Amino acid sequence: DVSGSITTPDVKLNLGGEFIKESTATTFLRQRGYGWLLEVEDDDPEDNKPLLEELDIDLKDIYYKIRCVLMPMPSLGFNRQVVRDNPDFWGPLAVVLFFSMISLYGQFKVVSWIITIWIFGSLTIFLLARVLGGEVAYGQVLGVIGYSLLPLIVIAPVLLVVGSFEVVSTLIKLFGVFWAAYSAASLLVGEEFKTKKPLLIYPIFLLYIYFLSLYTGV
């Protein structure tokens, strides 16, 4: 006649100076070699980044580039080359989408047209620049063309006010197109083009005329 009882072994873990008693199930898993199932990974500090940092969005950098485009005069002291040399995607995309929104006039298809012209128009300028011997990346062209839509956004509310005055409206449109084209061309057309500058400036000018035609309802 054998009788008795089996008691659970009293196993304790030392975690940071404090002893924690393990449950029977935990002890069983550890004895069978399945203790790895109970391990908890420490939180990775990189997983707790703010959303803007996770998406690589720098609002200060975008704001600085906006000022560089809207005020292209060298005398103002802005380092305008940062728009070309440090391209980003979210800033130009926001500008293009905002321009699309103010160009709707009840026609949602205008948005897709403007985004398409931005992407493929920038691709055309990029290919032409490379053919002419320029050292520029497609991302740089995409960013510069996108940011340089800002002058057209600035003149948009003015056109709503003076729309009934055809001569004044035409002058403002020309001013906006020249402003946008100058901002883009001064960043993309460098000294390496020498006598070939007009071959690149002209299509940039035509591109912004087309952007403006989409805004005015064509």
Side-chain angles (χ1 to χ4, degrees):
D1 184 12
V2 180
S3 63
S5 61
I6 300 176
T7 59
T8 304
D10 189 10
V11 181
K12 296 181 179 180
L13 296 178
N14 185 358
L15 300 176
E18 297 182 357
F19 288 93
I20 302 175
K21 185 176 180 179
E22 287 190 340
S23 64
T24 304
T26 301
T27 304
F28 177 79
L29 289 174
R30 290 190 185 280
Q31 290 176 346
R32 296 297 186 276
Y34 296 102
W36 56 271
L37 293 172
L38 306 173
E39 296 179 358
V40 179
E41 296 183 358
D42 296 333
D43 292 336
D44 190 350
E46 295 185 358
D47 294 338
N48 300 322
K49 290 182 179 180
L51 180 60
L52 292 181
E53 185 177 348
E54 193 72 27
L55 295 175
D56 196 21
I57 300 176
D58 189 343
L59 295 179
K60 291 183 178 179
D61 181 60
I62 292 174
Y63 175 64
Y64 185 81
K65 290 177 180 177
I66 288 174
R67 290 194 295 167
C68 289
V69 170
L70 291 179
M71 295 176 281
M73 291 74 70
S75 59
L76 296 177
F78 289 109
N79 181 20
R80 300 187 65 245
Q81 287 301 316
V82 73
V83 182
R84 169 179 170 170
D85 297 338
N86 186 26
D88 65 290
F89 176 74
W90 297 108
L93 178 62
V95 174
V96 172
L97 288 178
F98 185 66
F99 181 73
S100 301
M101 292 300 105
I102 66 174
S103 303
L104 280 178
Y105 286 118
Q107 304 177 56
F108 192 74
K109 60 182 180 180
V110 174
V111 178
S112 60
W113 264 108
I114 291 176
I115 295 177
T116 302
I117 295 303
W118 172 47
I119 294 174
F120 288 98
S122 299
L123 179 61
T124 302
I125 300 298
F126 162 71
L127 294 176
L128 183 58
R130 295 305 294 263
V131 168
L132 295 177
E135 295 295 330
V136 63
Y138 176 60
Q140 294 175 326
V141 178
L142 199 67
V144 171
I145 296 297
Y147 273 117
S148 296
L149 274 174
L150 285 167
L152 300 186
I153 295 176
V154 171
I155 69 169
V158 181
L159 292 176
L160 293 177
V161 176
V162 301
S164 57
F165 303 97
E166 186 175 349
V167 176
V168 178
S169 177
T170 302
L171 291 176
I172 292 176
K173 290 176 183 178
L174 288 174
F175 173 73
V177 170
F178 275 109
W179 185 4
Y182 175 78
S183 293
S186 60
L187 290 168
L188 294 177
V189 185
E191 293 299 325
E192 67 269 22
F193 292 100
K194 298 180 180 178
T195 59
K196 301 176 183 178
K197 288 183 179 181
L199 296 177
L200 191 59
I201 295 175
Y202 181 65
I204 292 175
F205 180 73
L206 292 181
L207 182 61
Y208 286 105
I209 288 180
Y210 193 75
F211 275 124
L212 184 63
S213 71
L214 290 174
Y215 166 72
T216 52
V218 176

